[in-house]
Amino acid sequence: MAILVIAEHDNASIKSGTLNTVTAAKKIGGDIHVLVAGANAAAAAAAAAKIDGVSKVLLADGANLAHPLAENVAPVVVEVSKAGGYSHVLAPATTTGKNVLPRVAALLDVAQISDIIAVEAADTFVRPIYAGNVLATVKSADAVKVITVRTTAFEAAGEGGNAAVENTAAGAEAGLSRFVGAELTKSDRPELTAAKVIVSGGRALGSAEQFSAVIEPLADKLGAAVGASRAAVDAGYAPNDYQVGQTGKVVAPQLYLAVGISGAIQHLAGMKDSKIIVAVNKDEEAPIFQVADYGIVGDLFSVVPELMSELSK
Amino acid sequence: MKVLVAVKRVVDYNVKVRVKADGSDVDIANVKMSMNPFDEIAVEEAVRLKEAGKAGEIVVVSMGPKQCEETLRTALAMGADRAVHVETDAVLEPLAVAKLLKAVAEEEQAQLIVLGKQAIDDDCNQTGQMLAALMNIGQGTFASKVDLADGSVNVTREIDGGLETVSLKLPAVVTTDLRLNEPRYVKLPNIMAAKKKPLAKKAPADFGVDITPRLTTLKVAEPAKRSAGIKVASAAELVAKLKNEAKVL
């Protein structure tokens, strides 16, 4: 049995979600190979070769793979997966993994198992449904199991591997889609899904100015990433990719500070596996208090400055 | 240009579902059902494209039991022209839905196919991508902006680090993200008018598609509950607890 892990990378380095996915692959058991599909991605392939537990890295290098367009990447994955006779194809459940992998599954004519949080057996997995309110254990009857992995549910694999890098065909340009441009949010703070501490703000912040004036200094003081509720994002207080929840990012930090967030089930779906949850809200009936380990009922505009000065002591 | 929109009937997003006592399934008897929120956004986008003179006929399609008719009528009341109901009581997985949608899209010769990015019941986020794969056409997933031109569509996508724009050759599949638009409320006269709009009935067998599930659900369970927390009186007490009790600072 051999498992193919689709690496997420920026051509120069491997993104952290890939490491959690390798750990999930280890739990399934078998030889673990990593596919790096990109353009001038030798550095990323070399980084993948160092991941502990990886026995081979396949590098598909071509101009058509410069951006991870699903139309170009999926056929490469399908080719590699058929040629290698893999029993499992895994990718992290990031926006890239979610975009590409169902396309792979359909081309292989198999079902996909999305966002697994546990491996019960080589064909049986646990995944959350209904915004994380229910956990379903599913068994696959397909010859190839195509799976996306919820990265927060598995530890990151360490370094120490020494896999060989092998070149594989990059396939042809599908001619169906073209990358036009990207507008990435610039931040010096830790990445949201990998952060140990997250400070998250909601609608109660009232404006984009107050969001940055209140939430960001607190995050910087704690070395934390900044998150937001859907209400805060929709109101324009924070960019889209800050959103934590069922339809945004799923996080599980050591400490999650929810400031001015009521705690709708869609938001809880994205953060309720955090180790410690702290809530600051002036409404003592807010549902966030039902999951918070520590709560302060009070106005965030006075509580957060107090918190800042306490942390400075 | 014809637009096809796929809609799903799901448990209303405000309902907190419960697991049946025997752990076999989720208990959805007597629970409020609605159109999947992402599909409302998909219908809204199609209607806006039509209102802007960029799209012609809008066909909505839903798959599932008889009650899916209500979901289709809602879409018709929002502004869709015609509905197709593929009626079945069988459990449909995204791959089966994608195969059925392919058959409908080809029959209708749709140029743009719009779906929600995920259904809030199974949280799969697969059907649109699978459909694009089966039809061998481009996919613009997690769309927050759709710019339709002659022969192509520019889609701005919500990705992990921000936004990305891709250009797709038509026909193409687009799946909607939350910020694409704000769906309209349906007005009573439109609900009445929607009752007269055509709704065609089909069955999976009409398309010769194998819909056998590939996955078996062995059990469902509620996740472990978090133990009840405490309320603290001051920021000082909170910081002390985080340092000494929780040891996360």
Side-chain angles (χ1 to χ4, degrees):
Chain A
M1 200 160 69
I3 300 169
L4 184 66
V5 171
I6 316 301
E8 188 165 338
H9 63 88
D10 58 6
N11 291 318
S13 61
I14 294 290
K15 294 201 180 166
S16 65
T18 309
L19 306 175
N20 310 86
T21 307
V22 166
T23 301
K26 284 182 189 169
K27 297 207 167 173
I28 296 168
D31 250 9
I32 301 171
H33 299 175
V34 173
L35 171 66
V36 176
N40 302 316
K50 293 201 180 77
I51 304 171
D52 180 52
V54 173
S55 61
K56 184 157 78 171
V57 174
L58 295 155
L59 172 62
D61 209 309
N64 56 321
L65 303 174
H67 299 283
L69 293 169
E71 297 80 358
N72 290 345
V73 175
V76 175
V77 177
V78 170
E79 277 309 305
V80 168
S81 133
K82 281 182 176 163
Y86 294 99
S87 59
H88 296 73
V89 178
L90 269 60
T94 55
T95 47
T96 308
K98 288 174 179 174
N99 187 40
V100 173
L101 223 58
R103 196 165 174 113
V104 170
L107 293 173
L108 291 170
D109 192 32
V110 300
Q112 178 187 290
I113 308 152
S114 295
D115 235 353
I116 64 159
I117 58 165
V119 175
E120 300 267 288
D123 62 355
T124 308
F125 309 91
V126 181
R127 58 176 303 262
I129 53 175
Y130 289 94
N133 284 308
V134 180
L135 301 180
T137 306
V138 295
K139 185 177 171 145
S140 166
D142 283 317
V144 183
K145 279 80 174 159
V146 173
I147 297 165
T148 59
V149 175
R150 176 166 291 192
T151 55
T152 56
F154 298 89
E155 297 283 317
E159 277 204 3
N162 187 20
V165 178
E166 225 175 72
N167 282 303
T168 186
E173 167 62 49
L176 300 172
S177 60
R178 186 169 52 81
F179 174 82
V180 177
E183 203 181 302
L184 300 180
T185 311
K186 286 193 181 67
S187 172
D188 298 330
R189 297 194 186 88
E191 199 199 342
L192 196 50
T193 50
K196 294 258 179 285
V197 181
I198 294 173
V199 179
S200 221
R203 181 160 41 199
L205 271 306
S207 71
E209 292 70 36
Q210 282 171 325
F211 191 96
S212 42
V214 175
I215 298 295
E216 288 177 6
L218 180 58
D220 292 339
K221 181 132 245 163
L222 292 163
V226 175
S229 69
R230 181 189 167 187
V233 172
D234 281 353
Y237 304 167
N240 299 348
D241 55 315
Y242 281 26
Q243 187 179 323
V244 171
Q246 181 187 21
T247 61
K249 293 199 171 89
V250 178
V251 299
Q254 294 288 303
L255 173 62
Y256 187 91
L257 264 125
V259 179
I261 292 175
S262 65
I265 53 176
Q266 292 82 5
H267 185 76
L268 300 184
M271 46 66 84
K272 68 183 175 187
D273 291 327
S274 306
K275 184 163 175 269
I276 298 290
I277 297 172
V278 173
V280 178
N281 204 300
K282 65 180 174 192
D283 174 11
E284 63 177 321
E285 303 293 324
I288 191 77
F289 287 119
Q290 290 164 17
V291 300
D293 299 280
Y294 303 106
I296 296 188
V297 179
D299 181 12
L300 69 94
F301 293 106
S302 57
V303 173
V304 173
E306 278 166 36
L307 206 49
M308 292 283 287
S309 68
E310 282 298 325
L311 288 166
S312 302
K313 278 183 190 166
Chain B
M1 194 192 66
K2 199 186 275 186
V3 183
L4 182 70
V5 185
V7 296
K8 184 177 185 183
R9 178 176 179 268
V10 298
V11 170
D12 188 88
Y13 74 98
N14 283 312
V15 173
K16 192 167 183 233
V17 294
R18 304 250 168 248
V19 168
K20 283 184 184 166
D22 64 356
S24 63
D25 204 351
V26 173
D27 190 2
I28 56 167
N30 306 317
V31 163
K32 187 187 177 201
M33 307 290 280
S34 304
M35 188 190 299
N36 181 42
F38 291 98
D39 303 350
E40 287 185 354
I41 296 171
V43 175
E44 176 67 31
E45 193 64 17
V47 174
R48 288 188 190 190
L49 287 170
K50 188 178 175 177
E51 286 169 347
K54 290 183 174 171
E57 194 181 28
I58 303 169
V59 180
V60 284
V61 54
S62 190
M63 282 142 202
K66 179 145 184 36
Q67 296 92 319
C68 292
E69 262 182 56
E70 296 160 24
T71 314
L72 287 168
R73 292 286 172 203
T74 305
L76 292 171
M78 287 176 75
D81 297 297
R82 197 153 63 71
V84 177
H85 181 198
V86 182
E87 192 170 339
T88 172
D89 287 325
V91 175
L92 293 176
E93 289 175 355
L95 183 63
V97 174
K99 287 177 179 179
L100 292 169
L101 279 177
K102 174 179 187 262
V104 174
E106 284 173 351
E107 193 172 273
E108 297 284 350
Q109 292 288 308
Q111 287 294 295
L112 186 67
I113 308 157
V114 195
L115 296 84
K117 81 163 174 182
Q118 79 193 57
I120 59 163
D121 51 1
D122 60 23
D123 283 335
C124 275
N125 196 332
Q126 301 172 6
T127 310
Q129 294 90 314
M130 288 181 156
L131 174 63
L134 297 174
M135 295 183 73
N136 193 29
I137 60 177
Q139 64 187 53
T141 49
F142 326 142
S144 63
K145 191 167 167 240
V146 175
D147 206 349
L148 196 57
D150 214 20
S152 73
V153 60
N154 272 13
V155 179
T156 302
R157 309 178 50 233
E158 292 194 16
I159 59 169
D160 284 333
L163 299 170
E164 172 189 281
T165 305
V166 292
S167 172
L168 310 170
K169 212 165 89 177
L170 291 178
V173 171
V174 168
T175 75
T176 63
D177 214 321
L178 286 168
R179 269 152 302 263
L180 182 58
N181 62 47
E182 183 96 22
R184 67 194 64 194
Y185 287 104
V186 291
K187 298 196 187 88
L188 187 62
N190 295 345
I191 295 173
M192 301 310 288
K195 289 185 177 165
K196 297 201 179 72
K197 290 186 180 176
L199 191 153
K201 289 274 181 186
K202 299 267 186 188
D206 296 343
F207 302 108
V209 170
D210 176 18
I211 57 165
T212 316
R214 310 295 185 82
L215 305 174
T216 320
T217 301
L218 301 182
K219 65 167 185 195
V220 298
E222 276 175 29
K225 290 251 186 317
R226 290 187 73 97
S227 51
I230 55 163
K231 293 212 172 110
V232 295
S234 70
E237 194 186 342
L238 174 64
V239 171
K241 291 233 183 269
L242 288 177
K243 279 185 176 152
N244 306 323
E245 210 174 87
K247 298 190 190 343
V248 286
L249 287 183

